Amino acid sequence: SNVAVYYGQGAYQPRLSHFCQETSLDIINLGFINVFPKAVGDWPGSNFGNQCDGTVYEGTELLSGCHQIWEDIPICKELGKTVMLSLGGETAYEDIPTDEVAEWFADFLWYSFGPPGQNDTFPRPFQDNQVDGFDFDIEHDGGYGYATMIQRLRSHFADFPDETFYISGAPQCQLPDAQLSDAISNSHFDFIWVQWYNTAACSATNFLEGNGLFNFAEWAKVIQDSANPAAKLFIGLPASEEAAVDGFYLSPAEVYPLVDIYMNLYPDTFGGVMLWEATASDNNTINGYNYAQHMKHILHE
Ligand SMILES: CNC(=O)NC(=N)Nc1ccccc1
């Protein structure tokens, strides 16, 4: 099974290539496209923390100088990493007003961050690099338009039949997820990494208390009833005490039984662990291994 991490919002984070050299990491979600178009023709905006050089395409909030990222993606690809572009995050206003805007947004993302050379009226913020897919980290204002975006993206994917592109989502653990449940029911996801933190009613800490509120089983059923029953369900966890809201961190020793039980109860649906986020994991070493390395060991026990 795989370890997925978010990268781009870490405090004083090192560049992407540092994480691509970590053998414990399989999937890297670059966060975030944090400004969504309000109308057809509007450009989205981006934020990758301390990366990029601060320049934007004139009149937009889309970063145009992300040299560290466009230099490092080839290294990541060379090392076999899956690199996703993540939409949303904490700060974004994530409302998609109409189907036309949803399709425009999907087209923009595809022509700007998908395979190069398709339509040069669009910018190439990562130059000729193409991402392996798009992640929906929709934290609020969502609910409508994502299924349309994903269907549109998949129609573009079909134009490159010998290449593989992915769609993923990071819903909160409360069911139904106000932002993504509609999209999960009506469009094809490959990975769902549930944020089993920050929400007391269903977080992974409930597993430790044995109170039955940790709802992996319910989410596994959502996947099995979804547009893609073969989608992989990941357990999302904070990579350190301070990486999420207080009180939701599990030590590696606490994660072990959680993963062991659900990996074996749901061998076809269990996909691995997602961590928020990469730099926090690096800074959280226990017995000489960082948090992601502990997760990799647990997954391969
Ligand atoms: C997948 N996205 C996230 O995990 N976002 C996230 N954890 N945001 C956040 C919320 C509260 C405190 C710190 C980070």
Short mmCIF file of all heavy atoms in Angstrom, two decimals, residues 243-298:
data_model
loop_
_atom_site.label_atom_id
_atom_site.label_comp_id
_atom_site.label_asym_id
_atom_site.label_seq_id
_atom_site.Cartn_x
_atom_site.Cartn_y
_atom_site.Cartn_z
N ALA A 243 0.70 19.41 13.37
CA ALA A 243 0.31 19.52 11.94
C ALA A 243 -1.19 19.70 11.78
O ALA A 243 -1.67 20.11 10.73
CB ALA A 243 0.75 18.28 11.19
N ALA A 244 -1.96 19.34 12.80
CA ALA A 244 -3.42 19.48 12.68
C ALA A 244 -3.94 20.11 13.96
O ALA A 244 -3.17 20.46 14.86
CB ALA A 244 -4.06 18.12 12.44
N VAL A 245 -5.25 20.22 14.08
CA VAL A 245 -5.88 20.71 15.30
C VAL A 245 -5.43 19.81 16.46
O VAL A 245 -5.22 18.60 16.27
CB VAL A 245 -7.42 20.68 15.15
CG1 VAL A 245 -8.12 20.97 16.46
CG2 VAL A 245 -7.85 21.65 14.05
N ASP A 246 -5.22 20.42 17.63
CA ASP A 246 -4.72 19.66 18.78
C ASP A 246 -5.56 18.42 19.08
O ASP A 246 -6.79 18.43 18.93
CB ASP A 246 -4.76 20.57 20.03
CG ASP A 246 -3.43 21.29 20.20
OD1 ASP A 246 -2.55 21.06 19.35
OD2 ASP A 246 -3.29 22.06 21.17
N GLY A 247 -4.87 17.37 19.49
CA GLY A 247 -5.57 16.21 20.04
C GLY A 247 -5.88 15.13 19.03
O GLY A 247 -6.48 14.11 19.39
N PHE A 248 -5.48 15.30 17.77
CA PHE A 248 -5.85 14.30 16.75
C PHE A 248 -4.66 13.47 16.28
O PHE A 248 -4.80 12.65 15.37
CB PHE A 248 -6.54 14.99 15.56
CG PHE A 248 -7.89 15.53 15.94
CD1 PHE A 248 -8.06 16.87 16.24
CD2 PHE A 248 -8.99 14.68 16.06
CE1 PHE A 248 -9.29 17.37 16.61
CE2 PHE A 248 -10.23 15.17 16.44
CZ PHE A 248 -10.38 16.51 16.72
N TYR A 249 -3.50 13.71 16.87
CA TYR A 249 -2.29 12.99 16.46
C TYR A 249 -2.26 11.60 17.09
O TYR A 249 -2.62 11.40 18.25
CB TYR A 249 -1.05 13.78 16.93
CG TYR A 249 0.26 13.08 16.69
CD1 TYR A 249 0.80 12.98 15.41
CD2 TYR A 249 0.97 12.50 17.75
CE1 TYR A 249 2.02 12.34 15.19
CE2 TYR A 249 2.18 11.86 17.54
CZ TYR A 249 2.70 11.78 16.26
OH TYR A 249 3.89 11.13 16.03
N LEU A 250 -1.86 10.62 16.24
CA LEU A 250 -1.60 9.26 16.73
C LEU A 250 -0.12 8.96 16.57
O LEU A 250 0.45 9.23 15.50
CB LEU A 250 -2.39 8.22 15.93
CG LEU A 250 -3.88 8.02 16.26
CD1 LEU A 250 -4.69 9.17 15.69
CD2 LEU A 250 -4.39 6.70 15.66
N SER A 251 0.47 8.37 17.59
CA SER A 251 1.87 7.94 17.47
C SER A 251 1.91 6.75 16.51
O SER A 251 0.89 6.06 16.30
CB SER A 251 2.39 7.51 18.84
OG SER A 251 1.72 6.31 19.23
N PRO A 252 3.09 6.44 15.95
CA PRO A 252 3.19 5.26 15.09
C PRO A 252 2.71 3.99 15.78
O PRO A 252 2.02 3.17 15.18
CB PRO A 252 4.68 5.20 14.75
CG PRO A 252 5.12 6.63 14.79
CD PRO A 252 4.33 7.25 15.91
N ALA A 253 3.01 3.87 17.07
CA ALA A 253 2.57 2.67 17.82
C ALA A 253 1.04 2.59 17.87
O ALA A 253 0.45 1.51 17.83
CB ALA A 253 3.14 2.71 19.24
N GLU A 254 0.40 3.76 17.91
CA GLU A 254 -1.08 3.79 17.93
C GLU A 254 -1.66 3.52 16.53
O GLU A 254 -2.76 2.99 16.40
CB GLU A 254 -1.56 5.14 18.47
CG GLU A 254 -1.28 5.33 19.95
CD GLU A 254 -1.49 6.77 20.44
OE1 GLU A 254 -1.28 7.72 19.63
OE2 GLU A 254 -1.88 6.94 21.62
N VAL A 255 -0.90 3.90 15.50
CA VAL A 255 -1.37 3.70 14.12
C VAL A 255 -1.29 2.22 13.74
O VAL A 255 -2.15 1.71 13.01
CB VAL A 255 -0.55 4.56 13.13
CG1 VAL A 255 -0.88 4.21 11.68
CG2 VAL A 255 -0.77 6.05 13.41
N TYR A 256 -0.30 1.52 14.29
CA TYR A 256 -0.08 0.13 13.88
C TYR A 256 -1.35 -0.73 13.93
O TYR A 256 -1.76 -1.30 12.92
CB TYR A 256 1.07 -0.51 14.70
CG TYR A 256 1.29 -1.94 14.28
CD1 TYR A 256 2.03 -2.24 13.14
CD2 TYR A 256 0.68 -2.99 14.97
CE1 TYR A 256 2.18 -3.55 12.72
CE2 TYR A 256 0.82 -4.29 14.56
CZ TYR A 256 1.57 -4.58 13.42
OH TYR A 256 1.71 -5.86 13.00
N PRO A 257 -2.03 -0.81 15.08
CA PRO A 257 -3.23 -1.69 15.13
C PRO A 257 -4.35 -1.21 14.20
O PRO A 257 -5.06 -1.99 13.59
CB PRO A 257 -3.66 -1.64 16.60
CG PRO A 257 -3.03 -0.43 17.17
CD PRO A 257 -1.78 -0.19 16.39
N LEU A 258 -4.45 0.11 14.06
CA LEU A 258 -5.48 0.70 13.18
C LEU A 258 -5.28 0.22 11.75
O LEU A 258 -6.19 -0.30 11.10
CB LEU A 258 -5.35 2.22 13.29
CG LEU A 258 -6.22 3.12 12.44
CD1 LEU A 258 -7.67 3.01 12.84
CD2 LEU A 258 -5.75 4.56 12.59
N VAL A 259 -4.05 0.37 11.26
CA VAL A 259 -3.75 -0.05 9.89
C VAL A 259 -3.89 -1.56 9.76
O VAL A 259 -4.51 -2.08 8.83
CB VAL A 259 -2.34 0.41 9.48
CG1 VAL A 259 -1.86 -0.32 8.23
CG2 VAL A 259 -2.32 1.92 9.26
N ASP A 260 -3.37 -2.28 10.75
CA ASP A 260 -3.37 -3.75 10.66
C ASP A 260 -4.79 -4.27 10.54
O ASP A 260 -5.11 -5.10 9.68
CB ASP A 260 -2.69 -4.30 11.93
CG ASP A 260 -2.47 -5.80 11.83
OD1 ASP A 260 -2.06 -6.26 10.75
OD2 ASP A 260 -2.76 -6.51 12.82
N ILE A 261 -5.71 -3.73 11.37
CA ILE A 261 -7.09 -4.21 11.34
C ILE A 261 -7.76 -3.89 10.01
O ILE A 261 -8.32 -4.77 9.34
CB ILE A 261 -7.88 -3.60 12.53
CG1 ILE A 261 -7.45 -4.27 13.83
CG2 ILE A 261 -9.39 -3.70 12.31
CD1 ILE A 261 -7.98 -3.61 15.08
N TYR A 262 -7.68 -2.61 9.58
CA TYR A 262 -8.47 -2.22 8.40
C TYR A 262 -7.83 -2.66 7.09
O TYR A 262 -8.53 -2.94 6.11
CB TYR A 262 -8.76 -0.72 8.46
CG TYR A 262 -9.79 -0.45 9.52
CD1 TYR A 262 -9.42 -0.01 10.79
CD2 TYR A 262 -11.13 -0.73 9.28
CE1 TYR A 262 -10.37 0.17 11.78
CE2 TYR A 262 -12.09 -0.55 10.27
CZ TYR A 262 -11.70 -0.11 11.52
OH TYR A 262 -12.64 0.05 12.50
N MET A 263 -6.50 -2.81 7.07
CA MET A 263 -5.84 -3.33 5.87
C MET A 263 -6.31 -4.77 5.62
O MET A 263 -6.54 -5.19 4.49
CB MET A 263 -4.33 -3.28 6.08
CG MET A 263 -3.52 -3.87 4.96
SD MET A 263 -1.83 -4.17 5.49
CE MET A 263 -1.16 -2.55 5.38
N ASN A 264 -6.51 -5.51 6.73
CA ASN A 264 -6.90 -6.92 6.60
C ASN A 264 -8.42 -7.12 6.48
O ASN A 264 -8.86 -8.05 5.83
CB ASN A 264 -6.33 -7.71 7.78
CG ASN A 264 -4.80 -7.82 7.65
OD1 ASN A 264 -4.31 -8.37 6.67
ND2 ASN A 264 -4.07 -7.21 8.58
N LEU A 265 -9.19 -6.20 7.05
CA LEU A 265 -10.65 -6.30 6.90
C LEU A 265 -11.09 -5.92 5.49
O LEU A 265 -12.05 -6.46 4.96
CB LEU A 265 -11.34 -5.35 7.91
CG LEU A 265 -11.67 -5.87 9.31
CD1 LEU A 265 -12.32 -4.75 10.12
CD2 LEU A 265 -12.60 -7.08 9.22
N TYR A 266 -10.37 -4.97 4.89
CA TYR A 266 -10.77 -4.44 3.57
C TYR A 266 -9.59 -4.47 2.60
O TYR A 266 -9.16 -3.44 2.10
CB TYR A 266 -11.29 -3.00 3.72
CG TYR A 266 -12.51 -2.89 4.59
CD1 TYR A 266 -12.40 -2.59 5.96
CD2 TYR A 266 -13.78 -3.12 4.08
CE1 TYR A 266 -13.51 -2.52 6.76
CE2 TYR A 266 -14.92 -3.04 4.89
CZ TYR A 266 -14.77 -2.74 6.23
OH TYR A 266 -15.87 -2.67 7.03
N PRO A 267 -9.04 -5.66 2.31
CA PRO A 267 -7.82 -5.75 1.50
C PRO A 267 -7.96 -5.14 0.09
O PRO A 267 -7.01 -4.60 -0.45
CB PRO A 267 -7.54 -7.24 1.41
CG PRO A 267 -8.82 -7.91 1.77
CD PRO A 267 -9.56 -7.00 2.69
N ASP A 268 -9.18 -5.17 -0.48
CA ASP A 268 -9.33 -4.61 -1.83
C ASP A 268 -9.52 -3.11 -1.83
O ASP A 268 -9.21 -2.45 -2.81
CB ASP A 268 -10.55 -5.26 -2.52
CG ASP A 268 -10.34 -6.76 -2.69
OD1 ASP A 268 -9.17 -7.19 -2.66
OD2 ASP A 268 -11.34 -7.49 -2.79
N THR A 269 -10.08 -2.57 -0.73
CA THR A 269 -10.38 -1.14 -0.70
C THR A 269 -9.27 -0.34 -0.01
O THR A 269 -9.03 0.81 -0.36
CB THR A 269 -11.73 -0.93 0.02
OG1 THR A 269 -12.74 -1.59 -0.77
CG2 THR A 269 -12.08 0.53 0.18
N PHE A 270 -8.60 -0.94 0.96
CA PHE A 270 -7.56 -0.23 1.70
C PHE A 270 -6.42 0.19 0.77
O PHE A 270 -5.85 -0.65 0.06
CB PHE A 270 -7.02 -1.11 2.83
CG PHE A 270 -6.02 -0.41 3.72
CD1 PHE A 270 -6.43 0.31 4.82
CD2 PHE A 270 -4.66 -0.45 3.41
CE1 PHE A 270 -5.51 0.97 5.62
CE2 PHE A 270 -3.74 0.20 4.21
CZ PHE A 270 -4.16 0.91 5.32
N GLY A 271 -6.11 1.51 0.75
CA GLY A 271 -5.07 1.97 -0.18
C GLY A 271 -3.78 2.38 0.49
O GLY A 271 -2.73 2.43 -0.15
N GLY A 272 -3.85 2.70 1.80
CA GLY A 272 -2.63 3.14 2.48
C GLY A 272 -2.92 4.27 3.43
O GLY A 272 -4.04 4.40 3.96
N VAL A 273 -1.93 5.12 3.62
CA VAL A 273 -2.01 6.23 4.58
C VAL A 273 -1.72 7.53 3.84
O VAL A 273 -0.84 7.58 2.97
CB VAL A 273 -0.99 6.02 5.73
CG1 VAL A 273 -0.85 7.27 6.60
CG2 VAL A 273 -1.41 4.83 6.60
N MET A 274 -2.47 8.57 4.16
CA MET A 274 -2.20 9.92 3.67
C MET A 274 -1.75 10.76 4.88
O MET A 274 -2.28 10.57 5.98
CB MET A 274 -3.46 10.54 3.05
CG MET A 274 -3.35 12.02 2.64
SD MET A 274 -3.64 13.21 4.00
CE MET A 274 -5.42 13.33 3.95
N LEU A 275 -0.79 11.60 4.67
CA LEU A 275 -0.28 12.43 5.77
C LEU A 275 -0.39 13.91 5.42
O LEU A 275 -0.04 14.34 4.33
CB LEU A 275 1.19 12.11 6.05
CG LEU A 275 1.49 10.67 6.46
CD1 LEU A 275 3.00 10.49 6.65
CD2 LEU A 275 0.75 10.27 7.72
N TRP A 276 -0.86 14.65 6.39
CA TRP A 276 -0.79 16.11 6.37
C TRP A 276 0.28 16.50 7.37
O TRP A 276 0.06 16.35 8.58
CB TRP A 276 -2.13 16.76 6.75
CG TRP A 276 -2.00 18.25 6.76
CD1 TRP A 276 -1.67 19.05 7.82
CD2 TRP A 276 -2.13 19.13 5.63
NE1 TRP A 276 -1.58 20.36 7.42
CE2 TRP A 276 -1.86 20.44 6.09
CE3 TRP A 276 -2.46 18.94 4.28
CZ2 TRP A 276 -1.92 21.54 5.25
CZ3 TRP A 276 -2.50 20.03 3.45
CH2 TRP A 276 -2.24 21.30 3.93
N GLU A 277 1.48 16.94 7.05
CA GLU A 277 1.89 17.05 5.66
C GLU A 277 3.40 16.77 5.60
O GLU A 277 4.01 16.46 6.62
CB GLU A 277 1.49 18.41 5.04
CG GLU A 277 1.90 19.67 5.76
CD GLU A 277 3.38 19.95 5.67
OE1 GLU A 277 3.91 20.22 4.61
OE2 GLU A 277 4.00 19.82 6.72
N ALA A 278 4.05 16.92 4.51
CA ALA A 278 5.40 16.39 4.28
C ALA A 278 6.45 16.96 5.23
O ALA A 278 7.26 16.20 5.81
CB ALA A 278 5.82 16.65 2.83
N THR A 279 6.47 18.27 5.43
CA THR A 279 7.52 18.87 6.26
C THR A 279 7.32 18.52 7.73
O THR A 279 8.28 18.26 8.46
CB THR A 279 7.55 20.40 6.03
OG1 THR A 279 7.75 20.64 4.64
CG2 THR A 279 8.67 21.08 6.82
N ALA A 280 6.04 18.45 8.13
CA ALA A 280 5.73 18.05 9.51
C ALA A 280 6.23 16.63 9.76
O ALA A 280 6.78 16.32 10.82
CB ALA A 280 4.23 18.13 9.75
N SER A 281 6.07 15.77 8.77
CA SER A 281 6.56 14.39 8.89
C SER A 281 8.08 14.36 9.04
O SER A 281 8.62 13.69 9.92
CB SER A 281 6.15 13.58 7.66
OG SER A 281 6.86 12.35 7.62
N ASP A 282 8.75 15.16 8.19
CA ASP A 282 10.22 15.22 8.26
C ASP A 282 10.70 15.66 9.63
O ASP A 282 11.70 15.18 10.15
CB ASP A 282 10.74 16.24 7.23
CG ASP A 282 11.35 15.55 6.02
OD1 ASP A 282 10.98 14.38 5.76
OD2 ASP A 282 12.18 16.17 5.35
N ASN A 283 9.93 16.59 10.22
CA ASN A 283 10.36 17.17 11.50
C ASN A 283 9.92 16.34 12.68
O ASN A 283 10.18 16.70 13.83
CB ASN A 283 9.81 18.60 11.65
CG ASN A 283 10.39 19.54 10.60
OD1 ASN A 283 11.48 19.28 10.09
ND2 ASN A 283 9.65 20.58 10.25
N ASN A 284 9.24 15.21 12.40
CA ASN A 284 8.73 14.38 13.49
C ASN A 284 9.45 13.03 13.44
O ASN A 284 8.95 12.07 12.82
CB ASN A 284 7.21 14.19 13.35
CG ASN A 284 6.63 13.36 14.49
OD1 ASN A 284 7.27 13.21 15.54
ND2 ASN A 284 5.44 12.81 14.27
N THR A 285 10.62 12.97 14.07
CA THR A 285 11.36 11.71 14.05
C THR A 285 11.18 11.01 15.39
O THR A 285 11.22 11.64 16.45
CB THR A 285 12.87 11.94 13.81
OG1 THR A 285 13.32 12.90 14.74
CG2 THR A 285 13.14 12.41 12.40
N ILE A 286 10.91 9.71 15.28
CA ILE A 286 10.74 8.88 16.46
C ILE A 286 11.67 7.69 16.27
O ILE A 286 11.63 7.02 15.23
CB ILE A 286 9.26 8.37 16.55
CG1 ILE A 286 8.28 9.55 16.57
CG2 ILE A 286 9.08 7.45 17.75
CD1 ILE A 286 7.34 9.59 15.38
N ASN A 287 12.56 7.47 17.25
CA ASN A 287 13.53 6.37 17.15
C ASN A 287 14.31 6.41 15.83
O ASN A 287 14.52 5.38 15.19
CB ASN A 287 12.84 5.00 17.27
CG ASN A 287 12.10 4.85 18.59
OD1 ASN A 287 12.47 5.51 19.57
ND2 ASN A 287 11.05 4.05 18.60
N GLY A 288 14.65 7.63 15.39
CA GLY A 288 15.53 7.77 14.22
C GLY A 288 14.84 7.69 12.88
O GLY A 288 15.49 7.82 11.84
N TYR A 289 13.55 7.46 12.88
CA TYR A 289 12.81 7.43 11.61
C TYR A 289 11.78 8.55 11.62
O TYR A 289 11.18 8.82 12.67
CB TYR A 289 12.08 6.09 11.42
CG TYR A 289 13.00 4.91 11.25
CD1 TYR A 289 13.26 4.05 12.32
CD2 TYR A 289 13.61 4.66 10.02
CE1 TYR A 289 14.10 2.96 12.16
CE2 TYR A 289 14.47 3.58 9.87
CZ TYR A 289 14.70 2.73 10.93
OH TYR A 289 15.55 1.66 10.78
N ASN A 290 11.52 9.18 10.47
CA ASN A 290 10.48 10.21 10.44
C ASN A 290 9.11 9.53 10.33
O ASN A 290 9.01 8.32 10.11
CB ASN A 290 10.74 11.26 9.35
CG ASN A 290 10.52 10.73 7.94
OD1 ASN A 290 9.67 9.88 7.69
ND2 ASN A 290 11.32 11.24 7.01
N TYR A 291 8.07 10.36 10.49
CA TYR A 291 6.74 9.77 10.62
C TYR A 291 6.34 8.97 9.38
O TYR A 291 5.81 7.85 9.49
CB TYR A 291 5.71 10.89 10.89
CG TYR A 291 4.38 10.39 11.39
CD1 TYR A 291 4.19 10.07 12.74
CD2 TYR A 291 3.31 10.22 10.53
CE1 TYR A 291 2.97 9.61 13.20
CE2 TYR A 291 2.09 9.76 10.98
CZ TYR A 291 1.93 9.45 12.32
OH TYR A 291 0.71 8.98 12.78
N ALA A 292 6.64 9.49 8.20
CA ALA A 292 6.28 8.78 6.96
C ALA A 292 7.00 7.44 6.86
O ALA A 292 6.43 6.45 6.41
CB ALA A 292 6.61 9.64 5.74
N GLN A 293 8.25 7.41 7.34
CA GLN A 293 9.00 6.15 7.31
C GLN A 293 8.33 5.13 8.24
O GLN A 293 8.19 3.96 7.88
CB GLN A 293 10.45 6.40 7.75
CG GLN A 293 11.28 7.12 6.69
CD GLN A 293 12.64 7.60 7.22
OE1 GLN A 293 12.73 8.08 8.36
NE2 GLN A 293 13.65 7.47 6.38
N HIS A 294 7.86 5.59 9.39
CA HIS A 294 7.12 4.69 10.29
C HIS A 294 5.87 4.17 9.60
O HIS A 294 5.56 2.98 9.67
CB HIS A 294 6.74 5.43 11.58
CG HIS A 294 7.85 5.54 12.58
ND1 HIS A 294 8.24 4.48 13.37
CD2 HIS A 294 8.67 6.57 12.89
CE1 HIS A 294 9.24 4.87 14.15
NE2 HIS A 294 9.53 6.12 13.87
N MET A 295 5.17 5.04 8.88
CA MET A 295 3.95 4.60 8.20
C MET A 295 4.28 3.55 7.14
O MET A 295 3.59 2.54 7.02
CB MET A 295 3.24 5.79 7.54
CG MET A 295 2.69 6.83 8.51
SD MET A 295 1.55 6.16 9.73
CE MET A 295 2.55 6.27 11.22
N LYS A 296 5.39 3.77 6.42
CA LYS A 296 5.77 2.81 5.39
C LYS A 296 6.08 1.46 6.01
O LYS A 296 5.64 0.42 5.50
CB LYS A 296 6.98 3.33 4.60
CG LYS A 296 7.19 2.66 3.26
CD LYS A 296 6.06 2.97 2.29
CE LYS A 296 6.25 2.36 0.93
NZ LYS A 296 5.07 2.58 0.06
N HIS A 297 6.78 1.49 7.15
CA HIS A 297 7.10 0.22 7.85
C HIS A 297 5.82 -0.48 8.27
O HIS A 297 5.65 -1.68 8.08
CB HIS A 297 7.97 0.51 9.09
CG HIS A 297 9.32 1.07 8.78
ND1 HIS A 297 10.04 1.81 9.71
CD2 HIS A 297 10.07 1.03 7.65
CE1 HIS A 297 11.19 2.20 9.14
NE2 HIS A 297 11.23 1.73 7.90
N ILE A 298 4.88 0.29 8.81
CA ILE A 298 3.62 -0.31 9.30
C ILE A 298 2.83 -0.93 8.14
O ILE A 298 2.29 -2.02 8.23
CB ILE A 298 2.76 0.76 10.01
CG1 ILE A 298 3.40 1.14 11.35
CG2 ILE A 298 1.32 0.28 10.21
CD1 ILE A 298 2.80 2.39 11.99
#
